[in-house]
Amino acid sequence: MSTIRTIAAVAACKAARGILRMLHRGGTALPGKVAMKFDKEVLRTVSRGMKIIVVTGTNGKTTTCRMLEHALTRSGFPCLANKSGANLLSGVTAEFVCSADWRGRPKTEYAVVECDEGALKQVVPLLAPEVITVTNLFRDQLDRYGEVTHTLNAVKSGVEASPQTALCLNADCSLTSSIALDVPNPVFYYGLDVPVGEQKETEISDARHCIRCGTAYEYRYYTYAHLGGFCCPNCGYSRHDADVSVTQINSVSPAGSEVRMKWRGSKKDAAISLPAVFNIYNAAAAVCAFTVFSDRLKERHGITLPAESIFDALSDVESSFGRMENFDLDGVPVQMILVKNPAGCSQSISYLTQLKQDYMLAACLNDRTADGHDISWIWDADYEKLSEDPYLKQILVCGDRAEDLQLRLKYAGIPEERIELLPDFASMLGKIRTSNLPVFAMPNYTSMLELRGLLSQATGKKAFWK
Ligand SMILES: [Zn+2]
């Protein structure tokens, strides 16, 4: 039931967004803050009755959401999604309020919500989602979250706030799957049943020791970082069998991957239109979440959502903002890979080195608030692998902390003459434009915004809030 407070909150939120857009500002959180001034829990009202999937975790949230949203839409279930990346309470509130009618009644029945790990405990009680999917937990932006166990506890309290919600957890992540040990929710698992690439125990790990007893894990196989077939030899905490799993990786290229999955007890071949191993994980997460969502819609609401349609969606989902996003700059193919932490960065480097084709790398590093001011994580990322890659011909470096990144690359063993330090993003764009090789851009968050802004201007792509 809408109250005067709700109506005021909705009106104020829509007005604030309207004004921001008139000023050509993509402000995504402010309208939500304005709405909450009138009605603190307006999100509960404007999402009432909606069937919602929430996605959280350190890496892969945005892409997993995009896959789910695409699957729903192409099955004829229009849904709301916070595509702008505003994933704190204020941003999620703004998205829902602005899409409701003037009395605060939702206009769509479904939603896919990306939620920041730290904001989960505020957002989840208001949304009461059908499904929460956790992608993984890695060390990320230390000055915002502290240690990774702090993030784990934050996610756990979010889950505890909604005990009816089904959980989809990454079976290969010992941190993520430990959430199941302490919560009453129904739990489902997804993961990779097979190792990926060369096995390397020395790779960075945010979870070497058992979360329950502190003994060092043993691994049957690794996929990347601390993900894989872990087992504690002391207390027996180990990887849970996955309900949805990748059993075979058939091919990987810049255009995507082909895999075989175990799904509903049988084999299913799947094409994933987004490249790299982390997107195979995102695809498995999306398949698991979509399947569980479809089952719950049937059981609880008598609605039939064809669960198989997730596979069609994976084969033609488009990349989202800066994440494996492709540009054509006057004939030069540019693929942009957002990196924000050591695990994601090392995985992006693995992706580049296994392509085995000549390329130029454009690496960018800023240290603004949205990036986390501490950039020491670059020392934990596996840039050494680049020095062994004969196909990498040149590296352009740019951003507020370009010199730190240049130093890191030198320490990784990359010859100085192959690294070019550029004073600004416009010069970087100029260099990219005249490249005779494909370019892979590897920026962190705010440097992605800058480089992407210039690239989209030059190639005619839309700004993100449009
Ligand atoms: Zn143990």
Side-chain angles (χ1 to χ4, degrees):
M1 214 183 15
S2 39
T3 62
I4 295 293
R5 269 192 311 158
T6 310
I7 292 171
V10 172
C13 184
K14 291 189 180 203
R17 183 181 273 202
I19 290 166
L20 285 172
R21 291 210 166 154
M22 257 163 43
L23 301 171
H24 299 289
R25 296 259 314 272
T28 44
L30 182 70
K33 285 183 183 158
V34 170
M36 287 189 291
K37 285 255 186 275
F38 288 90
D39 180 353
K40 234 172 87 191
E41 299 206 334
V42 64
L43 182 58
R44 191 193 300 281
T45 314
V46 294
S47 65
R48 188 162 288 152
M50 290 178 76
K51 285 91 187 162
I52 300 170
I53 307 178
V54 168
V55 180
T56 192
T58 308
N59 288 340
K61 290 186 283 285
T62 305
T63 303
T64 305
C65 281
R66 180 55 62 90
M67 289 169 170
L68 289 166
E69 180 209 344
H70 185 51
L72 277 169
T73 311
R74 86 201 294 294
S75 314
F77 292 70
C79 68
L80 171 65
N82 52 337
K83 278 192 231 177
S84 59
N87 61 12
L88 301 173
L89 178 62
S90 51
V92 174
T93 300
E95 204 69 51
F96 275 78
V97 171
C98 286
S99 74
D101 71 9
W102 67 274
R103 294 167 70 176
R105 290 175 307 195
K107 286 193 228 163
T108 44
E109 196 175 353
Y110 303 92
V112 177
V113 177
E114 173 184 333
C115 186
D116 179 89
E117 305 89 277
L120 201 69
K121 60 175 180 287
Q122 301 168 298
V123 170
V124 160
L126 301 176
L127 289 183
E130 294 290 338
V131 179
I132 297 176
T133 304
V134 188
T135 55
N136 48 53
L137 292 167
F138 293 115
R139 203 155 56 78
D140 186 35
Q141 302 181 20
L142 281 181
D143 41 359
R144 202 147 65 95
Y145 289 130
E147 282 307 311
V148 70
T149 45
H150 179 77
T151 313
L152 171 65
N153 290 331
V155 172
K156 222 181 270 177
S157 10
V159 170
E160 279 164 351
S162 188
Q164 304 298 318
T165 299
L167 274 188
C168 294
L169 301 180
N170 187 337
D172 304 350
C173 175
S174 56
L175 292 165
T176 303
S177 65
S178 76
I179 295 167
L181 300 171
D182 302 314
V183 298
N185 307 56
V187 181
F188 302 85
Y189 296 88
Y190 63 88
L192 268 60
D193 287 345
V194 286
V196 179
E198 75 269 40
Q199 296 297 288
K200 226 171 107 189
E201 203 173 339
T202 52
E203 235 184 306
I204 54 128
S205 176
D206 297 326
R208 287 188 202 283
H209 298 101
C210 177
I211 187 92
R212 291 173 75 187
C213 75
T215 309
Y217 286 122
E218 290 173 358
Y219 278 79
R220 285 186 290 117
Y221 62 92
Y222 288 92
T223 56
Y224 74 90
H226 66 268
L227 308 189
F230 66 90
C231 172
C232 170
N234 180 47
C235 74
Y237 171 56
S238 60
R239 179 187 187 268
H240 197 284
D241 275 345
D243 301 282
V244 170
S245 62
V246 173
T247 55
Q248 200 177 313
I249 298 172
N250 295 325
S251 72
V252 276
S253 78
S257 315
E258 286 180 9
V259 301
R260 175 162 287 180
M261 285 195 189
K262 184 186 80 182
W263 182 70
R264 292 209 194 275
S266 56
K267 286 174 192 163
K268 186 96 184 166
D269 287 320
I272 304 161
S273 61
L274 303 174
V277 170
F278 50 81
N279 281 322
I280 297 180
Y281 266 109
N282 293 336
V287 171
C288 187
F290 199 74
T291 308
V292 172
F293 188 60
S294 150
D295 289 348
R296 284 174 70 97
L297 286 190
K298 180 141 230 155
E299 284 162 26
R300 295 162 59 119
H301 308 284
I303 298 167
T304 306
L305 169 69
E308 302 93 298
S309 56
I310 184 70
F311 291 99
D312 299 323
L314 293 181
S315 71
D316 62 4
V317 63
E318 284 178 17
S319 59
S320 43
F321 202 67
R323 291 146 177 107
M324 292 293 177
E325 193 176 8
N326 296 307
F327 297 85
D328 181 329
L329 183 62
D330 301 339
V332 182
V334 184
Q335 191 166 62
M336 185 173 277
I337 316 170
L338 172 68
V339 295
K340 299 184 290 190
N341 46 42
C345 187
S346 297
Q347 264 308 291
S348 303
I349 291 168
S350 288
Y351 161 68
L352 295 177
T353 56
Q354 48 110 60
L355 292 177
K356 307 205 183 310
Q357 57 168 51
D358 290 349
Y359 65 101
M360 181 196 267
L361 178 65
C364 321
L365 187 67
N366 281 354
D367 63 353
R368 301 180 195 169
T369 305
D371 301 310
H373 297 295
D374 180 359
I375 51 125
S376 63
W377 64 265
I378 60 172
W379 292 91
D380 292 329
D382 193 9
Y383 288 101
E384 278 69 16
K385 210 176 230 167
L386 288 175
S387 70
E388 299 153 14
D389 186 5
Y391 298 95
L392 172 57
K393 299 302 173 192
Q394 200 190 355
I395 307 184
L396 310 175
V397 181
C398 184
D400 303 339
R401 302 300 290 267
E403 280 162 17
D404 298 74
L405 189 53
Q406 182 189 32
L407 182 69
R408 174 71 189 93
L409 293 166
K410 271 191 221 165
Y411 265 88
I414 295 160
E416 220 163 313
E417 63 276 10
R418 268 200 272 163
I419 308 171
E420 186 174 355
L421 190 68
L422 297 165
D424 52 49
F425 289 93
S427 337
M428 180 173 254
L429 193 78
K431 286 277 174 186
I432 294 174
R433 199 191 287 273
T434 55
S435 168
N436 49 14
L437 294 173
V439 178
F440 293 91
M442 220 165 63
N444 68 334
Y445 191 67
T446 65
S447 60
M448 181 272 281
L449 295 181
E450 286 191 60
L451 182 61
R452 193 191 178 281
L454 292 173
L455 263 171
S456 52
Q457 247 177 29
T459 59
K461 278 209 183 191
K462 288 185 294 183
F464 77 100
W465 64 84
K466 296 278 166 67

